[in-house]
Amino acid sequence: MKKLSLYLMIMVLSLSAIPTTMTAAEKNPVPKEIPAEVQVMLNRLEEIKEMDKSSLSSSEKKELRKEVREIKTNLKASGNGVYLSVGAIIIVILLLILLL
């Protein structure tokens, strides 16, 4: 039983080390194409950053802040990444333990 837990720990640690070594091996990553809608949103954010806000009224500043928040939430939502929560990772590990 002790050997099984030792082998399991070694397997988990070795599998968790693989992605870090793979990303370290990439020297020249291929630049990804940015979709047109995302580029438009990024350009608008740059325009807002470069804007002189001292001459704006408080209501205009408030609208700009709302616009920036909306753009940032849209940019986060447009990401194509797969995210796993800690609970999901624990469930996957428990399933692996039970099946092996």
Side-chain angles (χ1 to χ4, degrees):
M1 191 66 177
K2 289 184 181 181
K3 284 187 179 183
L4 178 65
S5 62
L6 176 67
Y7 291 142
L8 185 62
M9 286 177 31
I10 290 172
M11 182 184 69
V12 168
L13 290 174
S14 65
L15 289 176
S16 65
I18 290 173
T20 58
T21 57
M22 289 175 61
T23 56
E26 282 186 28
K27 292 186 179 180
N28 294 328
V30 178
K32 294 183 179 179
E33 299 255 344
I34 299 174
E37 327 62 68
V38 173
Q39 188 62 43
V40 168
M41 288 188 268
L42 289 173
N43 289 341
R44 179 63 182 149
L45 281 177
E46 288 298 320
E47 287 176 13
I48 292 172
K49 283 181 185 178
E50 294 171 359
M51 193 181 293
D52 183 24
K53 298 175 192 89
S54 61
S55 61
L56 298 175
S57 68
S58 62
S59 62
E60 291 172 336
K61 288 180 186 179
K62 193 174 185 180
E63 287 181 24
L64 276 178
R65 282 194 299 268
K66 282 183 182 179
E67 184 180 355
V68 168
R69 277 189 232 123
E70 184 179 318
I71 289 173
K72 285 185 178 182
T73 55
N74 288 339
L75 285 174
K76 285 181 184 178
S78 68
N80 295 330
V82 175
Y83 300 103
L84 292 175
S85 66
V86 175
I89 293 172
I90 291 173
I91 291 172
V92 169
I93 291 172
L94 287 175
L95 285 173
L96 285 175
I97 290 171
L98 291 173
L99 293 174
L100 296 176

